[in-house]
Amino acid sequence: MRKKLAVLTAMTLALSMSCIGASADEDLITIGFAQVGHESDWRTASTQSCQDVFTEENGYDLQFVDCDNDSATQLEAVRNFIEQDVDYIIIDPIVSTGWDEVLTECEEAGIPVIIIDRTIDDSDKYAAWVGSNFTTEGLACGEWLKVYAEAKGIEEINALVIEGTTGSSAAIGRTEGFQEIADREGWTILDSQDGDFTQTGGQEIMESYIKSYEGQFNVVICQNDNEAFGAMDAMTAAGISYGVDGDVILVSFDACTAGLEYVQSGDINADFECNPLAAPFVEEVIQQLEAGETPETTIYMEEHWYVNEDIIETITVDGAEQSMTVVTDEIVEAQY
Ligand code: GZL
């Protein structure tokens, strides 16, 4: 091949190179990835995980679309992937409904779909789902708070919840899990509103809560770290203390690096991890499909429950004993 190229004219060489390029491209597995958006540190890590794994060097051509938290944009992105006749489609569904029609179109086009992170409730037309159990995360939060309040001699829980994006399975699961424990323990949830998983959303909701409930609440549950950062700003501005040495217990989800730094400093009492690094598990599914094998349809990722103080070593969630992990420098260093 190299000898043949030496005698070609520049134009023919250019044409040949483009053909070689095309044939090399044809060897790549093309993947269309319709990502929720760019709303949080967690989302950034999730996107990076896919971009790190599905590289040309690894044999992939990743077509990435940031759907900016807009469901219509996400459905359009998936339909465009069908038009492009990609080999696989990865979707992190912004909301859990409205999917069966487009997933039927993917099935009819013979394009396997892999769902990551959030779940889809109205269709099972996909090869596999890789993610977390959000209800378990909410239950763990409630079970930890029960034991923590007892250890601190706190008899009454009056909580405010800053939820994630309405309709997302992450918000639905975390809300349901925590609510189950709150109902069992007779806690009061003063309010529960959508902060859209953003720092701005967390701050705005917390500012509104302070106007309505100042002096009435002793727990704030934020359904992701970026909301917690916003809530911290709002409480600090209002002179409300929070965290291990504060008047308000502050709890978060995701456990991104910045979230764990605030746990380590005592600003956040506990942070319930949601693992964003799904891409290696997705690649395994794709390789199995390439080999004609049938992958597991449900793949849960490992997660940890992080705290500042070592007063509670384990909690029982759904009958299973689970460890609480005190945040150390090494843990922060290694986090996503
Ligand atoms: C949860 C994920 C959520 C994170 C947020 O798996 O979908 O969306 O908790 C992110 O940080 O915005």
Side-chain angles (χ1 to χ4, degrees), residues 39-40 42-43 92 117-118 134 170 174 197 223-224 226 254 274:
E39 73 285 359
S40 65
W42 190 99
R43 188 63 53 201
D92 188 335
D117 177 30
R118 299 182 187 176
F134 305 118
R174 289 169 188 164
F197 284 134
Q223 291 189 350
N224 86 327
N226 296 81
D254 281 356
C274 182

Side-chain angles (χ1 to χ4, degrees), residues 13 63 196 251:
L13 179 57
Q63 302 296 314
D196 218 14
V251 180

Side-chain angles (χ1 to χ4, degrees), residues 65-94:
V65 175
D66 171 340
C67 300
D68 199 17
N69 235 12
D70 181 281
S71 291
T73 302
Q74 191 164 51
L75 293 172
E76 182 188 357
V78 174
R79 290 193 163 97
N80 288 339
F81 292 148
I82 296 171
E83 280 297 306
Q84 293 165 32
D85 193 23
V86 298
D87 296 313
Y88 295 91
I89 293 174
I90 299 173
I91 302 169
D92 188 335
I94 295 167

Side-chain angles (χ1 to χ4, degrees), residues 49 52 60 74 86 96 114 168 188 225 271 277 287 292 304-305 314 316 330 336:
S49 175
D52 290 346
Y60 300 97
Q74 191 164 51
V86 298
S96 48
I114 298 152
S168 69
T188 300
D225 288 327
D271 202 340
L277 309 180
Q287 290 305 321
H304 304 86
W305 313 140
T314 62
T316 302
E330 293 71 28
Y336 64 84

Side-chain angles (χ1 to χ4, degrees), residues 296-315:
E296 288 292 319
T297 53
T298 303
I299 301 161
Y300 282 106
M301 301 171 69
E302 187 182 356
E303 294 168 339
H304 304 86
W305 313 140
Y306 292 108
V307 288
N308 172 279
E309 305 152 282
D310 63 356
I311 51 179
I312 300 161
E313 285 187 8
T314 62
I315 55 175

